[in-house]
Amino acid sequence: MPPEERQGGQGAAGARAAAQDFFDEMRRWEEWMASCRHDTTGGEQLAAVKEVFARHLAARALARHQSRYDLLCFGTPPEFEAPILRVEQESPVRCWVYVPEGLIGGEARYAMVREGGAWKAAFKEADIALTGRWKRWPDL
C-alpha cells in the first residue's frame, strides 16, 4: 500500500504509519546530511528538509519557523531512528506517538493531527526522566 493510503487511514494505525513515514524520511535526511555536508550547499540541504516538512507537518507546525531552517541541525546517530513504542488515540483527530528519548529511559511523544484527510505531525513533547511532566517542543 502506498504511503499516502496508509497515512490517510483513520485511527491509531494511520497515525502510526504517518509518523513512521515522517521518521524514516527525517532519518534519511539526517544520514544524507552527515554524508554530504561538505559536498552540497546550504540551499540544497534546506530545500531537502523543507520538502520533508511540507509532506509531514501540520499547517501550524509549518507556520512556525522551524530551527532546522536556520541551523540545518541533525542528529548523529540519527535522532529519528528510535522505534515507535506505542500510539494513543486522544480523539478522532489527534493521536500521540511515543518514542524513546534521552539516556535514562525517558520518552518523547509527537502530536499527530488529522488535516486534509491525512495524519500530520504538529509538535513534540519530551519527558526524559519519566516524571509525568511533558515539556513542549514546537520545533520538530
Side-chain angles (χ1 to χ4, degrees), residues 9-109:
Q10 300 210 358
R16 176 187 285 271
Q20 188 64 62
D21 289 342
F22 172 54
F23 297 160
D24 289 347
E25 284 198 48
M26 284 303 294
R27 178 187 42 78
R28 285 191 294 271
W29 178 79
E30 289 178 316
E31 290 170 346
W32 176 72
M33 286 290 290
S35 69
C36 76
R37 189 98 169 128
H38 304 293
D39 299 333
T40 59
T41 66
E44 292 169 313
Q45 296 162 354
L46 179 59
V49 76
K50 280 187 171 187
E51 282 181 35
V52 174
F53 281 177
R55 279 192 297 279
H56 296 285
L57 296 193
R60 288 183 71 181
L62 284 171
R64 290 188 301 268
H65 187 77
Q66 299 289 324
S67 65
R68 290 184 201 272
Y69 292 169
D70 296 326
L71 306 175
L72 291 171
C73 57
F74 59 95
T76 305
E79 175 184 345
F80 288 90
E81 72 179 359
I84 292 175
L85 300 173
R86 67 188 179 284
V87 178
E88 294 176 358
Q89 186 157 1
E90 182 177 290
S91 73
V93 295
R94 183 190 293 224
C95 285
W96 293 101
V97 176
Y98 293 81
V99 297
E101 178 88 356
L103 301 174
I104 58 173
E107 291 183 340
R109 64 185 185 179

